[in-house]
Amino acid sequence: MGYDAYEEMVNELGRYGFTKWAKPTVMTVFAIGQEIFLATSQKGQGVFINNFPDSPVLKSLALCQAIFTDSTNLAKPHVHEAKCGEIMAAHSFFRKHPTTTTMKGLGGRTVTVEMPGEADSLKIKAPCGTGREDVSISRSLFEMYKLIVARCMGI
């Protein structure tokens, strides 16, 4: 599904006036119960998630930023500037379910496919911020949410 969604996104770029330079490098798939959320990484300046101050995702990222600091006591920046597919997919979930404030107990699966650099084929990518070379697509959504909060900081 991730491969198909990525290819469809690439095929639709021109229709919306995007060039190949604006093409996101990843497509993330979150499957939760009977729902599937597809999200690309964000390209360009600014951070989309910052436009939603009440988002549980932004609140968690802000908390993470406040808690985890480097040796100079300055908050470490988020890996990929909080523009990764996992954050965008989590944000989509919360936009659809505005009264939900956590993913705990929902049990979901996620996978991200990536077209790195000038590569000519997609590959499955480890979850953002894990630093892992192995890939697990059976991680619970709550575990992914914890990774979004703590690991997108690159710690």
Side-chain angles (χ1 to χ4, degrees), residues 87-108:
I87 287 175
M88 298 297 118
H91 178 67
S92 295
F93 169 82
F94 285 114
R95 293 282 292 175
K96 179 154 190 238
H97 301 281
T99 60
T100 303
T101 59
T102 183
M103 294 180 182
K104 184 176 183 177
L106 298 179

Side-chain angles (χ1 to χ4, degrees), residues 13-86:
L13 283 175
R15 181 176 171 183
Y16 296 98
F18 290 97
T19 67
K20 69 177 184 174
W21 305 110
K23 177 181 72 173
T25 57
V26 305
M27 175 67 69
T28 298
V29 179
F30 274 115
I32 309 163
Q34 300 297 313
E35 297 179 302
I36 294 175
F37 294 87
L38 302 171
T40 66
S41 54
Q42 179 196 336
K43 296 289 283 189
Q45 295 179 348
V47 180
F48 176 78
I49 193 71
N50 288 343
N51 295 323
F52 300 89
D54 294 328
S55 166
V57 177
L58 183 60
K59 288 178 179 180
S60 295
L61 288 169
L63 178 62
C64 182
Q65 188 86 35
I67 293 172
F68 295 102
T69 60
D70 66 15
S71 61
T72 64
N73 286 331
L74 297 174
K76 293 174 69 175
H78 296 103
V79 171
H80 306 299
E81 300 175 52
K83 297 179 180 182
C84 56
E86 291 90 344

Side-chain angles (χ1 to χ4, degrees), residues 114-133:
E114 174 184 44
M115 180 76 73
E118 295 296 318
D120 59 356
S121 64
L122 288 165
K123 68 174 191 164
I124 295 176
K125 177 181 177 13
C128 179
T130 62
R132 295 171 41 175
E133 295 299 320

